[in-house]
Amino acid sequence: MNLLFSCVGKRGGYLADFFRPSLAPADRIIGTANTAWTPGFRACDAAYVVPNVDDDDYIPAVLEVCEREHVDALVCMEDFDLERLAPARDAFVERGVVSLFPPAEVAELALDKYRMYEFLTAKGVPTPRTVLRPEDASDFAYPMYVKPRRGSGSQHLFRARNDAELAVFFDYAPDMIIQEEAVGENINIQLCADLDGRPVGVCVLRKRCMRHGDTEHAETFHDPSVVEFGMHLGELLGAVGPMDIDVIQQGDDLTLLEVNTRFGGGYPVAHLAGAAFPELLLDLVRHGEVAEPNLSFAAGVVMMKDLRILGGPADQFFAEELGVQPTPSPPSP
């Protein structure tokens, strides 16, 4: 079996390590990225530098890698990559590549925060009120959040405390949205769905520390109501593969903040707690279905991410450690 991790980045490195125990010795992981300076290549058996995701040649380049490496399944690691891959999903399926990411309509819903707000509201799922113009937020209480409608990783997320800040933050970039603040504890649901969009794996965790949109410290806990909330949302969305769901909990009330239809930064603690999404995903690749859903996990499991340093003499490091040719350095002035 050959797996392709597109936009492998940093996260794909430890995810590759999580997949290894469920792979046969001859199975391979192939990584792609837009630069040789990609730490995740360390964990891959083959590495390819491809154009940027917004380049017209991006999809053809990934399809070429799939054909050259006889790829059996594709795992998407990044939101803007998903934005390009999902509309081309049929092209991968036609080549026999099991696409472990959602179809275009589901991916678009998750990527567009205002459309997701409309969807959740229509389905009766509690979520912060969201508007497209400052004048429509006149009855919102401060503080309120201003963010890109199609943002990722908490980039350009602002907390406005008054009218002046709201005006500045809203004009920061085109297509910003405004959301009410949801008060409570920040928790997360890791969910995995089969090829028909049915949830087959779940784990619940508390985020103890966040940096730049990534979960740095986390701890699993048991709460049947939160699990039920996540399973219900998964069934409503019909996504495929891993999902990362941010929720605010205040007492018995749950408010959904965001859904990412990919592996999230909190997945490692779910893996340590026995959620084992790689096993479920590989079952889908091998058999088209999971042998048995895994809806159990251990509570009280903690995770902390540390800083690993990679490097060495450039030619040797890129060629032997990462398996790619180094990106040429710019000429000296």
Side-chain angles (χ1 to χ4, degrees):
M1 179 189 300
N2 293 327
L3 301 178
L4 176 60
F5 285 7
S6 64
C7 288
V8 65
K10 291 186 294 185
R11 185 174 296 167
Y14 64 69
L15 287 171
D17 294 338
F18 290 160
F19 272 80
R20 290 289 180 192
S22 300
L23 294 173
D27 292 341
R28 301 169 70 240
I29 295 176
I30 297 98
T32 62
N34 68 345
T35 174
W37 293 73
T38 300
F41 282 156
R42 164 199 63 82
C44 297
D45 300 295
Y48 289 86
V49 176
V50 297
N52 291 335
V53 296
D54 59 357
D55 193 295
D56 289 342
D57 291 329
Y58 177 68
I59 294 298
V62 178
L63 287 169
E64 182 181 347
V65 171
C66 288
E67 293 179 356
R68 182 182 303 176
E69 293 287 349
H70 305 288
V71 167
D72 296 292
L74 193 160
V75 181
C76 176
M77 297 289 166
E78 200 263 347
D79 289 329
F80 297 120
D81 184 28
L82 179 61
E83 187 173 23
R84 292 300 310 280
L85 289 175
R89 195 171 190 270
D90 289 347
F92 292 94
V93 173
E94 288 168 3
R95 288 164 173 78
V97 179
V98 179
S99 298
L100 298 171
F101 55 88
E105 60 272 17
V106 179
E108 173 63 22
L109 186 61
L111 291 165
D112 186 329
K113 293 177 174 60
Y114 188 72
R115 282 194 59 200
M116 177 61 81
Y117 161 73
E118 292 183 312
F119 172 83
L120 295 172
T121 301
K123 297 295 184 181
V125 178
T127 191
R129 284 193 296 169
T130 304
V131 297
L132 300 175
R133 304 177 303 173
E135 52 265 38
D136 295 331
S138 59
D139 64 335
F140 287 14
Y142 286 108
M144 60 185 75
Y145 284 94
V146 185
K147 62 179 72 172
R149 180 169 174 169
R150 302 178 71 86
S152 177
S154 296
Q155 295 181 50
H156 314 311
L157 168 66
F158 304 101
R159 189 171 184 260
R161 298 167 297 177
N162 51 54
D163 290 348
E165 290 185 349
L166 177 62
V168 170
F169 296 152
F170 189 77
D171 287 338
Y172 177 82
D175 214 18
M176 300 290 274
I177 60 172
I178 303 166
Q179 285 186 337
E180 284 187 309
E181 182 178 48
V183 178
E185 184 178 23
N186 194 337
I187 65 172
N188 180 265
I189 304 169
Q190 295 291 310
L191 203 67
C192 187
D194 67 13
L195 299 177
D196 294 318
R198 295 182 297 246
V200 292
V202 67
C203 185
V204 174
L205 57 108
R206 291 186 175 92
K207 294 184 176 184
R208 299 296 191 187
C209 176
M210 294 281 294
R211 287 192 179 94
H212 307 297
D214 189 29
T215 304
E216 294 259 337
H217 303 166
E219 181 177 4
T220 60
F221 70 101
H222 281 154
D223 187 328
S225 67
V226 179
V227 170
E228 183 181 352
F229 185 85
M231 298 287 284
H232 175 62
L233 179 67
E235 291 167 356
L236 288 177
L237 283 175
V240 173
M243 281 174 277
D244 179 88
I245 303 167
D246 288 329
V247 177
I248 292 293
Q249 184 176 33
Q250 186 174 45
D252 294 331
D253 296 330
L254 299 170
T255 301
L256 193 142
L257 292 183
E258 190 166 355
V259 177
N260 297 301
T261 50
R262 53 162 173 76
F263 275 109
Y267 176 70
V269 73
H271 194 83
L272 295 173
F277 288 6
E279 290 182 21
L280 298 172
L281 295 174
L282 291 173
D283 266 357
L284 296 178
V285 179
R286 293 177 177 126
H287 311 296
E289 60 184 6
V290 301
E292 185 176 350
N294 180 4
L295 305 180
S296 62
F297 59 92
V301 175
V302 300
M303 171 201 76
M304 291 179 278
K305 294 178 180 174
D306 67 1
L307 182 64
R308 175 177 178 176
I309 306 301
L310 303 178
D315 291 343
Q316 179 181 349
F317 173 72
F318 282 106
E320 297 180 11
E321 184 75 10
L322 300 187
V324 291
Q325 292 300 314
T327 304
S329 300
S332 301

